[in-house]
Amino acid sequence: MRLSYPGNIRIVRVPCTGKVDIIHILRALEKGADGVYVVGCLEGECRFSNGNLRARKRIEQAQHILDAIGIGGERAQMYNLSSADGPRFAEYAVEMTDKIKEMGPNPLKKAKEKMAA
Amino acid sequence: MIVAEKKPIEEIIDQVKDFQKLLIAGCNECVTVCEAGGKKEVGILASALRMYFMNEGKKVEIDEVTLERQCDHEYLEEIRDRIDKYDAVLSLACGVGVQFMAEKYFSTPVFPGVNTCFMGAAEERGVWSERCQACGQCILGETAGICPISRCAKRLLNGPCGGSTKGKCEISKDLDCAWQLILDRLKELDRLDDYEKIMPIKDWSTERAGGPRKVVREDVRL
Amino acid sequence: MSTKTPSKLEEILTAGHLAVTSECGPPRGSDPEDITKKAEMIRNHVDAINITDNQTSVTRLCSLAACVHLKMMGIEPTLQMVVRDRNRIALQSDILGAASFDIHNILCLSGDHQQFGDCPKGQNVFDIDSMQLIQTVRLMRDEGKFLGGDEIKRPPQMFVGAAANPFADPFEIRVPRLAKKIAAGVEFIQTQCIYNLDKFELWMKLACDRGLHEKVYILAGVTPFKSAGMAKYMKNRVPGMDVPDEVVKRMSGVPKEKQAEEGINICVESIQRLKEVEGVRGFHIMAIEWEEKVPEIVERSGLYPRPDIS
């Protein structure tokens, strides 16, 4: 499968989405990422029984924090797919990229530039 | 343990928005276990606040530290050499830790990052519930190991009241009637006859009513 | 039995008459007419009138002041006192205040939790419980002593009552709980509104089996339904209330304009049946904001005229 997906995505591999914590989402955005999304296995199909469900809860918490501090909760998202489902992976990548493009760049970039000036 | 809940981030921002150098101090004890003010929560809050201030165009320096305990001199002393670097401390410890910090670092403003809720147990993951109100004179031996002071909405020593319905409290269907629990356990222990013993009027002077309390142990004092 | 207090209610019960009491809720304002008018409607049909103490935790004119109004009208009041709002200092102080007006009946209660009322954010007190309030009044009356041990000059002369709810859970301790109140010193009981007569009779039988009916005067509580809606509300929303389905059905089965009448019928029929139950020594008719119907209920139940005791 030579599927193409947006090249502006940097993939961070984790053994299970249950490894992803709120702080990882926040740090990524703090460092300038425009959005962060977590791609986990389908719900009910976690090898470690509920890693992907934990991830979803953490994403929700991160969204809540991001909304509260004016960065935008939408910049963090959770997706689920089967590890064999390459086309879906590409589809989500496009969807997320479109969503972030619509929202515009991470507001912190502009704020940093302003502060430097 | 002492159970606490994170304050809403909006409220925290409001408390600390006028400071330039902040220390966020977590505590490794109870608040870590109930996931309100341990190292993890310190990191999340610090990151969130940094982003908030940056987005607002404010230059605020935020450092993180998590002490073994904030209710003991020796651990609080660990930040003495750098406390003067900060305009304010945001403590994620329980109300005890926040106050001990304030007492120790008299000229540094200290703000609470959590709401201290009660002394309780972890019923299951994500669920904590109250078990003790520190009345200072434990009666659990007489009430089959279930405390009517912390678990009955009316603190009845001779319950249950007329509002007990299907084992639940009149104030909430989600709350067990403490006296139903007491009776169930008295029965299990074959002590149901004890129910008819009238519990005498309680001496509340060892509770909050008697003013701030202190335990002095001459046998262990140095 | 000889009486221990100047209470007319006690005297009537001691003389072996079926007693009739009722209750009035004080107003959410300071107009004394709100109480005196209600009391005037029922004064000739009852032996004593309870004045509720901030019932369902809604702030109202205080029970003590309302009792004083009744007293000034020559009506015998029963001071209801909940332990929710006052510590032992205030409770004893109010008991003395009531005694200074020669109020001779008191009903010792826990009180609904404040979350039901207009001040859900308020503190509650519960320094002592209703069981211990019974003990407190008895101590003050019989030994002439305060809880602190000091002597009371002119101790209160009060006939001591309490509530009993045969329908609250768990049922198995409902009779032991009555025994406990008797051991604490209670002299009369007014029960929760009875709609489930079978269950009440069972409770009463178990109480009689233990001989409790000879140690305390039990007044059966009744409340007429004004409408089918009220029956449903009492069934589903009021903690510790047992309204059987057939009663709700009976209320819903008649047209709206006839429901009030049906409510009175049910109430009268209940009293008739309860009169025959061993251990029932009178009735406590709680016609909530419907005091004008009390005379009719009393008359139709054959409880009128009231014994003339002076």
Side-chain angles (χ1 to χ4, degrees), chain C residues 257-310:
Chain C
E257 63 279 8
K258 294 235 163 143
Q259 284 178 356
E261 196 187 323
E262 192 67 5
I264 303 283
N265 290 341
I266 294 173
C267 187
V268 171
E269 288 165 29
S270 300
I271 293 176
Q272 303 283 21
R273 180 169 155 190
L274 292 167
K275 269 178 160 182
E276 306 303 320
V277 176
E278 187 188 8
V280 171
R281 304 296 299 270
F283 295 93
H284 181 53
I285 304 168
M286 297 164 272
I288 302 160
E289 293 303 316
W290 212 20
E291 289 80 3
E292 68 269 24
K293 290 291 176 190
V294 171
E296 182 188 334
I297 295 168
V298 173
E299 286 175 22
R300 284 180 54 194
S301 306
L303 294 165
Y304 189 79
R306 301 304 314 141
D308 186 19
I309 288 191
S310 47

Side-chain angles (χ1 to χ4, degrees), chain B residues 153-154 156-162 164-166 170-171 180 183 187 195-202 204, chain C residues 88 111-113 115-116 124 126-127 129 132 135 165 168-170 172-174 176-177 179-180 184 210 240:
Chain B
K154 300 179 186 173
L156 300 183
L157 293 179
N158 294 286
C161 72
S164 179
T165 307
K166 294 191 178 82
E170 70 176 22
I171 70 165
Q180 175 79 60
L183 288 159
K187 203 191 286 178
Y195 173 72
E196 287 195 38
K197 289 185 192 155
I198 300 174
M199 282 253 244
I201 291 179
K202 191 170 169 70
W204 292 111
Chain C
R88 61 191 80 177
D112 295 314
H113 192 269
Q115 88 155 31
F116 295 101
N124 55 33
F126 296 113
D127 180 10
D129 63 24
Q132 297 161 343
Q135 291 179 315
N165 184 356
D169 292 319
E172 61 186 306
I173 59 101
R174 288 294 131 195
R177 186 161 176 75
K180 206 168 166 177
R210 283 186 61 168

Side-chain angles (χ1 to χ4, degrees), chain B residues 216-222:
Chain B
V216 181
R217 287 269 310 273
E218 290 303 339
D219 57 333
V220 291
R221 276 183 104 171
L222 290 178

Side-chain angles (χ1 to χ4, degrees), chain A residues 27-41:
Chain A
R27 284 269 161 79
L29 289 156
E30 194 183 335
K31 285 185 176 167
D34 296 312
V36 185
Y37 70 109
V38 174
V39 187
C41 303

Side-chain angles (χ1 to χ4, degrees), chain B residues 52-78:
Chain B
Y52 170 80
F53 287 122
M54 203 187 289
N55 199 25
E56 291 286 300
K58 281 188 201 161
K59 232 183 159 167
V60 179
E61 238 175 80
I62 296 173
D63 284 347
E64 306 169 26
V65 69
T66 299
L67 303 174
E68 196 53 37
R69 272 199 287 284
Q70 290 192 28
C71 53
D72 258 327
H73 286 296
E74 54 181 305
Y75 300 112
L76 271 179
E77 280 297 332
E78 287 172 8

